[in-house]
Amino acid sequence: MKDNTQIDLVNETDGDEFIQTIMLDLEDGTTEECEILEIIEVDGKAYVALLPLDKDEYHVYGVVEHGEEIEILNIEDEDEYEKVVKAFEEYFDDEDYDDEDDDEEDDDDEDDYEDEEDDDE
């Protein structure tokens, strides 16, 4: 598990898409490169969702800024951790939902237009 890890930002491109990654120092002395998915605030504290480049599941951590340096912290409190995980799940669901909503609104507009045509006949 990662604990009190200083991060080094690395900027990469994945095809046409720009991704920002960090190198995490793990407790076992190894490092792991992770994509920064998002940083959100929950109850006045900052948290980050990180996706290891070789894995399919993201992890959440606390974030503390010390001037220009950023520190990644494990979330030790189980209730706090669950609250943060739920907040990220809702955030990512809303992001997907917004895209679907736009498509559904477009479909609804088309249906309204077709209904108006039917009423004219």
Side-chain angles (χ1 to χ4, degrees):
M1 211 61 188
K2 296 138 195 92
D3 191 21
N4 296 334
T5 302
Q6 298 294 327
I7 63 171
D8 298 314
L9 294 176
V10 179
N11 298 319
E12 298 182 0
T13 55
D14 181 18
D16 292 333
E17 185 178 332
F18 176 77
I19 62 170
Q20 192 167 31
T21 63
I22 61 171
M23 297 299 294
L24 290 176
D25 295 326
L26 305 178
E27 287 180 349
D28 65 3
T30 62
T31 59
E32 182 173 52
E33 187 172 13
C34 299
E35 178 181 353
I36 300 171
L37 297 178
E38 192 62 54
I39 297 173
I40 64 172
E41 191 173 300
V42 177
D43 294 339
K45 295 181 183 178
Y47 298 92
V48 63
L50 301 176
L51 178 65
L53 295 184
D54 61 345
K55 299 191 175 121
D56 294 329
E57 188 174 311
Y58 68 89
H59 304 286
V60 298
Y61 300 96
V63 176
V64 177
E65 291 184 47
H66 300 284
E68 292 185 19
E69 292 187 23
I70 298 171
E71 189 174 10
I72 302 294
L73 303 169
N74 282 333
I75 303 170
E76 301 294 333
D77 182 85
E78 192 172 319
D79 292 335
E80 178 184 3
Y81 179 80
E82 292 300 321
K83 191 174 198 175
V84 171
V85 167
K86 183 177 179 180
F88 271 109
E89 287 173 350
E90 289 174 2
Y91 176 84
F92 291 129
D93 285 347
D94 285 347
E95 287 294 303
D96 293 338
Y97 182 73
D98 286 343
D99 292 340
E100 290 174 14
D101 250 4
D102 292 342
D103 293 341
E104 287 175 14
E105 286 176 15
D106 291 343
D107 291 344
D108 289 344
D109 292 344
E110 289 173 14
D111 291 344
D112 290 344
Y113 180 73
E114 289 172 8
D115 290 341
E116 288 174 14
E117 284 180 352
D118 291 341
D119 291 342
D120 291 340
E121 292 176 7

